[in-house]
Amino acid sequence: MVDDVKQGGEELHHSPEKPKSAIASREEEILTFWDEHKIFEQSLKKPSPKGEYVFYDGPPFATGLPHYGHLLQSALKDAIPRYRTMQGYHVARRWGWDCHGLPLENQIEQELGIKTKREIEQLGIEKFNTAAKTAVLRYTEDWKRIIPRFGRWVDMDNDYRTMDAGYTQSVWWAFKNLYDRGLVYEGFKAMHLCPRCGTTLSNFEVAQGYKDIDDIAVTVKLPLLDEPNTSLLIWTTTPWTLPGNAAAAVNPTATYVKVKIGEAYFIVAKDLLEKLASRSPSVAGSVGVHVQQVSPLEIVGEFFGKELVGKRYEPPFSYFKNELHKHKTHAFKVYAADFVTIDEGTGIVHIAPAFGADDLALAQKEKIPLIHHVTDEGKFVAAVADFAHLPVKPKGNPKETDQKIAAHLREKGLLFAEEKIKHSYPHCWRCDTPLLNWAANSWFVNVQKIKHKLVAENAKVRWVPEHVGKGRFNNGLESAPDWAISRSRFWGAPLPVWRHSKTKEIKVVGSVEELLAMVRKSGNRYFLMRHGEANSNAGGYLDSGEDADNHLTETGRADALASARELKTKNIDLIVVSPVLRTRETAQILQKELGLPDSAVMVDERLRERSLGVFSGKAEVEWVNYFVSLREHFERAPEGAETLAQVRRRMADCLFEIERRYTQKNILIVTHGDPAWTLLEAARATPYHELVSLEHKRGYLLPADFREISFTPYPHNADYELDLHRPYIDEVPMGDSLKGEWKRVPDVFDCWFESGSMPFASNEYPAHQEQFNPKRLFGLWPKGYPADFIAESIDQTRGWFYSLIVLGVALFGRSPYKAVVTNGLVLAEDGRKMSKKLKNYPEVLETVAQYGADSLRYYLVSSPVVRGGDVNFVARGVEEVSKKLLMRLDNV
């Protein structure tokens, strides 16, 4: 997913009131010439003595229209491949679409009026995902119009889509490959959760959303059980985690003191006494003294932190006290921890194991219980009676609940201090909701195992600008934690992991073939037959089934009988037949010869002939001449007729129902030419895009021909296309080669894992190994490995560039790219982000119509933005290029 430069997805149009410039009109004439004479295609076919120059194009979302940022990248992605082509290389330029992920899910939620993850589940995953699939490519035609207008040469017809089953199968292969080599694992770790989206995020997603916010911090008393009138003081910037307090931690080698303030005693780190004395008046009031009286603290004891280890205290909230009674040897106790610093706070850390990485690690080491007092929607559970169902970090006022917690502690006499702070806090990079530190199960790529290799491979990459790759990107690789790649969401490639309901054994699938090998089958054998020759076949005319005199010919009867005799060895148990006369007559011959009772013959309306509409009764040649390609048969039909897509759907519906209804039967299906062919392809789960691209109907049955077909029920959508999305993948009945009940882990992939798989998944490797063969010295196809060149915005140092190199090194042992050009952001003239609402930038096509695409291209690629800097877009700059460069050349 590479569309993350937040330029907006604004509509692009040219106002008819403003005439086009002579430059723009001439450009359009050139574009027409290029198109009519297939100049781009010819450039790809010309001799390439220097071989392949490999270019990867990061896939954008098609949920919005191109903006100046896209056009900047397009200029770079066009200029360099053109230059290399002129040098004697072959440069394939294939377009792709990024189809999954939270950005699209958030957009669909807005369109459907959905506010929470729970509402999606109530609506139904199928309805939600269908809406997402419908929306994901809604602007493709606009992109296909706008990008070429900018003068870019790219193949947008032979595109790839990350949502296609073939692409997902490659993602599965990558996941299993890493899993088998110990580079993928399931773990329980503290991550960041977006309560609105209901899923955890990866570290580099979190890094994109930090904001400085006004918040509060509290210092809270934990009364010791063995020392009356004495409390530990803990300090936290997340008061909402206090109901989940399970322990406290100290630095065992640091010095702590016991101080007397008024009649009460408190324990804090010695080095933090001065900060304690400088609390605000409200803090002093909370302990019953004035600020002036707080300064002369009386130290009554001094000791190392290790002497506090093992002490027990009264928790700040008692909601879970009884429940944790069985954990009394581990809960509400002081522990030693090396991560405790004496830099801020009190030197005593509040431990809520479910809400922090260090907290969780300590809890796992010391068997401290986890208290999940907050739901994955970011609300307190009912057990937190005083705050039940309140959001812990309300969007718009993130400190509201924290203030209520502080007020409650003050009433109980447990609040020592409350102070205002400004700190950097992570927000969801898509919906802008404050994130929660959250302990949860997730699947991870073990980046730690390959970190040194990642750094070494990146050192070989040529970065423009160099400091981005050698500095920012390199530093990110060196400090990168393991990559959380699973998401508790809906519209995404499903994790190919199934778990036994009792033993918890794991099965990881690496392809559709492996999946179908484990699907529970009926044990049926299927035979498919076309009716014998009828009068319509012999006479060369069409009949949808209305002709009452369209009987089998003598040849047709003889051929049907011959086939019936061959079928005797197949032990047919059941015949399912079309209701049309010629198929019923064929079935009668079969029934008699096979010795089957009437109860063994079933008529099914779904097996009828293709509806031919106004062509029924006309010459077959007229029907043939009506269509120019097989694609048209699927996508359009004459009045009253059916498309092949409609025929395929009803035929598949019949086949799947037979599979559900019968077991251990040998079943003969008798139908017509086109229906038989579509059923054959449906049984094979042939992708729709492959079907419409065929030049002819392969394996088409002649009259009275039959064949055995192999069929395993596969995950499919309402059109019976192989569809690996939820909920279809979750409904597959597993168990043919497995014992017991198996359920798929419900998560989907982080869409960055999908986009990082682009070098091989766009070619459906390893299913199509002839198109991409990294084992052959990373040999080159039009899309080889590695890429000689890629280009995206600087944001992708945390996105596509990162996911590419992690997967490339993990799978193939080397960087997937040799050179990277990373550009900065195109901002409005006033330096702010371009906004359609603010109207602070000129419309793109208006600029092109006025000054020409070449002027805009030159303006962008000659600016500092191509070397990682930002640029304020000024239309006068494009005008200057037009006048001083293009018009001058024109005059010369």
Side-chain angles (χ1 to χ4, degrees), residues 72-281:
L72 164 63
Q73 292 156 15
S74 278
L76 295 172
K77 294 173 181 180
D78 189 58
I80 293 176
R82 282 178 185 266
Y83 172 68
R84 292 297 184 181
T85 298
M86 290 188 288
Q87 284 188 315
Y89 291 94
H90 178 269
V91 189
R93 278 152 274 180
R94 184 182 176 201
W95 190 270
W97 299 108
D98 203 349
C99 304
H100 290 145
L102 275 177
L104 180 60
E105 289 202 43
N106 290 345
Q107 180 176 321
I108 299 304
E109 288 171 8
Q110 292 173 11
E111 293 177 5
L112 297 178
I114 290 172
K115 296 182 179 179
T116 67
K117 182 179 175 183
R118 293 281 184 271
E119 291 181 37
I120 296 175
E121 294 166 343
Q122 291 166 3
L123 172 71
I125 296 173
E126 183 173 16
K127 290 182 179 179
F128 182 80
N129 278 357
T130 299
K133 184 177 181 180
T134 302
V136 71
L137 299 177
R138 64 172 51 147
Y139 292 114
T140 53
E141 294 307 314
D142 295 283
W143 281 77
K144 289 180 179 180
R145 173 176 58 89
I146 294 165
I147 295 300
R149 176 61 189 92
F150 197 58
R152 182 179 174 189
W153 280 354
V154 60
D155 183 359
M156 301 184 82
D157 294 322
N158 181 34
D159 55 4
Y160 66 87
R161 307 185 304 178
T162 63
M163 67 181 178
D164 288 342
Y167 194 103
T168 295
Q169 182 173 228
S170 294
V171 173
W172 282 7
W173 167 81
F175 180 84
K176 185 177 183 184
N177 183 296
L178 299 178
Y179 178 81
D180 290 344
R181 292 163 47 216
L183 291 176
V184 160
Y185 66 92
E186 185 180 22
F188 187 76
K189 291 188 177 182
M191 296 173 287
H192 281 91
L193 170 88
C194 174
R196 200 214 67 81
C197 297
T199 188
T200 54
L201 304 178
S202 61
N203 58 293
F204 54 85
E205 288 177 303
V206 174
Q208 297 183 48
Y210 274 88
K211 294 182 177 182
D212 289 333
I213 64 169
D214 292 322
D215 220 330
I216 69 168
V218 294
T219 304
V220 179
K221 295 181 274 186
L222 300 181
L224 291 174
L225 298 185
D226 63 344
E227 294 187 44
N229 204 27
T230 301
S231 299
L232 303 172
L233 290 183
I234 58 171
W235 180 84
T236 179
T237 59
T238 55
W240 62 268
T241 63
L242 288 168
N245 173 267
V250 296
N251 187 319
T253 60
T255 301
Y256 289 79
V257 292
K258 182 175 181 179
V259 299
K260 183 179 181 183
I261 303 176
E263 299 302 320
Y265 297 88
F266 302 97
I267 295 175
V268 296
K270 183 178 181 180
D271 290 347
L272 291 166
L273 270 178
E274 186 176 339
K275 288 187 178 181
L276 184 70
S278 64
R279 300 298 195 211
S280 68

Side-chain angles (χ1 to χ4, degrees), residues 265-533:
Y265 297 88
F266 302 97
I267 295 175
V268 296
K270 183 178 181 180
D271 290 347
L272 291 166
L273 270 178
E274 186 176 339
K275 288 187 178 181
L276 184 70
S278 64
R279 300 298 195 211
S280 68
S282 61
V283 174
S286 71
V287 294
V289 293
H290 298 293
V291 175
Q292 292 83 353
Q293 296 172 308
V294 173
S295 297
L297 298 173
E298 182 183 352
I299 299 177
V300 297
E302 185 174 316
F303 37 84
F304 289 115
K306 61 184 178 181
E307 296 178 50
L308 292 171
V309 174
K311 284 186 172 290
R312 298 186 178 283
Y313 63 86
E314 187 70 24
F317 293 93
S318 58
Y319 304 123
F320 303 96
K321 191 174 180 180
N322 292 335
E323 179 185 333
L324 296 178
H325 181 68
K326 58 185 177 181
H327 298 287
K328 63 183 179 180
T329 57
H330 300 286
F332 311 134
K333 185 171 140 183
V334 178
Y335 292 88
D338 293 336
F339 61 78
V340 178
T341 63
I342 314 299
D343 297 329
E344 60 182 354
T346 65
I348 304 176
V349 175
H350 143 62
I351 300 297
F355 305 98
D358 290 333
D359 302 42
L360 179 61
L362 181 64
Q364 291 171 332
K365 175 185 176 184
E366 303 288 356
K367 299 182 181 178
I368 303 168
L370 270 69
I371 304 172
H372 254 126
H373 68 288
V374 178
T375 70
D376 61 4
E377 291 182 308
K379 298 178 180 180
F380 288 116
V381 299
V384 184
D386 299 290
F387 310 99
H389 312 304
L390 278 179
V392 300
K393 277 289 180 185
K395 189 174 179 180
N397 187 8
K399 62 184 178 181
E400 179 182 1
T401 300
D402 286 340
Q403 289 171 328
K404 291 179 180 179
I405 293 282
H408 188 82
L409 291 170
R410 184 180 292 111
E411 290 176 10
K412 294 171 63 178
L414 294 177
L415 183 68
F416 182 90
E418 176 184 345
E419 58 189 300
K420 295 179 180 179
I421 61 170
K422 182 182 283 291
H423 64 155
S424 185
Y425 195 90
H427 289 65
C428 180
W429 65 293
R430 280 304 182 186
C431 70
D432 207 33
T433 301
L435 301 179
L436 308 182
N437 210 313
W438 183 268
N441 271 320
S442 186
W443 289 81
F444 297 85
V445 171
N446 196 329
V447 177
Q448 301 303 310
K449 279 190 175 181
I450 60 172
K451 185 175 290 188
H452 294 304
K453 182 67 173 175
L454 288 171
V455 172
E457 284 299 307
N458 180 55
K460 303 174 185 176
V461 177
R462 181 188 174 195
W463 283 84
V464 178
E466 185 177 7
H467 69 82
V468 173
K470 307 309 179 186
R472 177 176 179 171
F473 191 68
N474 179 75
N475 296 339
L477 292 177
E478 289 183 335
S479 61
D482 289 349
W483 175 15
I485 58 171
S486 58
R487 299 287 178 270
S488 301
R489 290 298 298 185
F490 308 101
W491 179 241
L495 255 64
V497 180
W498 277 260
R499 179 178 280 121
H500 194 282
S501 58
K502 292 184 178 178
T503 66
K504 306 306 177 185
E505 181 187 355
I506 290 290
K507 293 287 184 182
V508 177
V509 168
S511 67
V512 173
E513 183 180 0
E514 289 180 31
L515 170 67
L516 298 185
M518 294 189 290
V519 169
R520 188 166 60 249
K521 305 177 186 69
S522 66
N524 294 332
R525 290 179 66 190
Y526 293 98
F527 299 86
L528 180 63
M529 182 174 177
R530 185 180 176 187
H531 62 77
E533 182 190 73

Side-chain angles (χ1 to χ4, degrees), residues 249 288 304 322 363 374 431 566 582 660 757 775 777 815 887 889:
F304 289 115
N322 292 335
V374 178
C431 70
E566 288 186 57
R582 54 189 179 272
R660 289 192 300 269
S757 301
K775 293 182 179 179
L777 197 61
S815 169
M887 292 180 69
L889 283 172

